[in-house]
Amino acid sequence: MRAEYANPFITAAITTFQKELKVKLNRNAINVKEAPVPSKQVSIIIGVTGMVKGQVVYSMDDNVAFAVAKAMLPDKLPAELRKLTNSAVSELANIITGQASIILAGESQKIEITPPAVICGGASSIDFLSLQTICLSFLSEIGSLEINIALTEAAI
Amino acid sequence: MRKGLIVDDAAVMRMRLRDILSSKYSIAGEAENGRQAIELYRAYKPDFVTMDISMAEMNGMEALKGLIAEFPEAKIVMVSAVGQKAQVFEALSHGAKDFIIKPFEPERVLLAIERLFEG
């Protein structure tokens, strides 16, 4: 795992929160772990292939996921928003990963991402990649976000 | 009124695109994958399509190629988070009329659709 893979995700997360949610996202901590296992209640897994391969796992608490849906769809009623929360956090993760992959791919490379998979209520039974992971944490007025980046260069 | 088909696997994004487009166009249908998009296109013959790329079952790039092969006159605008140069080039070279990268402003979407019918 190369440390420089983190910067595109930091830029993409801050930009996407501002544009999609009108929320300022601030970097908090960064640490390294052995696998992209998330620590919060709602997690979104996206697979990555191409010039880099691996997994990116986003994680947030329930109340943050609901706040994301509310910020994306401010006119919807709470009951409707609850049904759309998984869709909202999936799309947010998809956009952040897409933006980061544009930066990583540069002019001539190609990166493909899988449709997001959402896990609610903990991820203890999921088999995550065993790959060194950079864990980024962010703070905002709607709560905290964790991004676990487990990427490696694809074999040529 | 011209009618559009919205293709995106995320309900949230379909809802936002519907809200943006319905001020000027009627929405013939919504599809959540490429296979469904082709079925709905055959059924409704929409005037335009907004097409996501990263979707399960059949992705938007495959659906674009399938639709253009069957309906060469189809007006398809890609609306995707996956907007690297290689993908934008691939989509445009296979018949997409425009490529909007998420996140987008509503005006960008309306402008792209308006341009489809100019001249």
Side-chain angles (χ1 to χ4, degrees):
Chain A
M1 173 78 197
R2 288 163 54 171
E4 59 261 39
Y5 293 158
N7 281 336
F9 284 89
I10 294 169
T11 304
I14 291 171
T15 305
T16 303
F17 260 63
Q18 189 61 50
K19 283 191 175 173
E20 279 293 316
L21 312 181
K22 313 295 180 215
V23 168
K24 183 169 168 33
L25 190 67
N26 298 296
R27 267 184 70 182
N28 185 20
I30 178 166
N31 58 68
V32 177
K33 52 193 194 184
E34 292 310 307
V37 180
S39 67
K40 299 180 186 298
Q41 295 159 324
V42 179
S43 300
I44 307 103
I45 306 172
I46 294 184
V48 176
T49 58
M51 74 170 272
V52 290
K53 61 178 182 178
Q55 277 176 342
V56 182
V57 182
Y58 298 79
S59 192
M60 64 191 84
D61 285 330
D62 281 333
N63 62 321
V64 181
F66 184 77
V68 166
K70 194 174 175 187
M72 286 179 99
L73 298 164
D75 300 330
K76 302 295 174 195
L77 297 170
E80 200 174 358
L81 283 176
R82 267 185 275 281
K83 292 181 198 160
L84 291 165
T85 297
N86 283 2
S87 173
V89 294
S90 294
E91 189 60 13
L92 186 76
N94 182 47
I95 293 173
I96 295 172
T97 312
Q99 287 286 308
S101 66
I102 291 172
I103 301 169
L104 280 169
E107 292 294 314
S108 55
Q109 301 287 335
K110 190 173 176 183
I111 296 172
E112 299 207 13
I113 62 177
T114 64
V118 182
I119 305 161
C120 299
S124 57
S125 61
I126 307 289
D127 282 332
F128 289 94
L129 285 178
S130 180
L131 191 62
Q132 193 178 52
T133 299
I134 290 179
C135 178
L136 303 172
S137 65
F138 299 86
L139 296 174
S140 77
E141 67 192 49
I142 62 170
S144 60
L145 169 74
E146 175 186 286
I147 307 180
N148 297 282
I149 307 161
L151 296 177
T152 185
E153 272 181 278
I156 299 169
Chain B
M1 192 182 250
R2 290 190 168 106
K3 58 187 182 185
L5 171 65
I6 295 169
V7 187
D8 200 301
D9 60 344
V12 162
M13 195 50 67
R14 295 197 301 274
M15 210 169 274
R16 288 182 71 184
L17 285 167
R18 177 181 278 273
D19 285 348
I20 292 167
L21 293 168
S22 57
S23 61
K24 292 193 171 180
Y25 305 97
S26 81
I27 305 302
E30 296 179 10
E32 57 185 55
N33 58 56
R35 185 186 49 73
Q36 211 177 58
I38 292 175
E39 286 170 10
L40 290 183
Y41 194 99
R42 287 178 185 141
Y44 298 125
K45 302 288 190 306
D47 298 297
F48 67 90
V49 179
T50 68
M51 180 75 77
D52 186 19
I53 291 182
S54 180
M55 298 182 287
E57 285 202 46
M58 180 191 281
N59 71 37
M61 204 67 83
E62 293 172 85
L64 165 72
K65 292 170 187 172
L67 279 173
I68 293 293
E70 192 172 340
F71 305 98
E73 74 289 356
K75 295 184 190 309
I76 302 171
V77 172
M78 310 307 281
V79 183
S80 173
V82 186
Q84 299 147 44
K85 284 199 180 340
Q87 284 129 347
V88 173
F89 180 79
E90 184 180 0
L92 296 178
S93 64
H94 282 92
K97 303 290 188 229
D98 202 344
F99 198 117
I100 298 171
I101 299 173
K102 299 173 184 173
F104 54 75
E105 297 295 332
E107 296 74 24
R108 172 73 178 91
V109 178
L110 289 170
L111 186 64
I113 304 305
E114 278 170 30
R115 280 183 186 153
L116 297 175
F117 305 106
E118 282 175 354

